[in-house]
Amino acid sequence: MSGAGSGAVPDPAPPVGVSRTDPGDTGVVTSRRPSGPTTYSARSPFVQAVESPVETFAVGDRVTHDRFGLGKVIVLESAAVLVDFGAQRARVTSPFTRLTKI
């Protein structure tokens, strides 16, 4: 028996680049990097993606679609619209990237 202390083994040091949330924690390890979207400075060479607003439609709106052509909105849903394109009807889902109000 070695008489050096209480016999408790100290917690090993966390890996490099990682910190513990609480010294008395049970071993849960968290990263030092904050969570959330990446932000760049104004002078950064990286271009930030700009989200375009989602267009809203009403029943009866005249629209054009890249694939189906001219049509008319006949039904509104929470995340889609049903459009009558004459020869066919198509359900177009949000964010309506190919659908434009005219």
Side-chain angles (χ1 to χ4, degrees), residues 11 20 24-29:
D11 287 340
R20 293 195 187 271
D25 200 1
T26 59
V28 176
V29 180

Side-chain angles (χ1 to χ4, degrees), residues 47-72:
V47 178
Q48 292 182 350
V50 177
E51 290 186 27
S52 59
V54 177
E55 192 164 2
T56 57
F57 297 97
V59 173
D61 282 348
R62 304 295 280 172
V63 294
T64 181
H65 189 275
D66 293 348
R67 182 174 167 198
F68 302 117
L70 296 173
K72 182 178 173 183

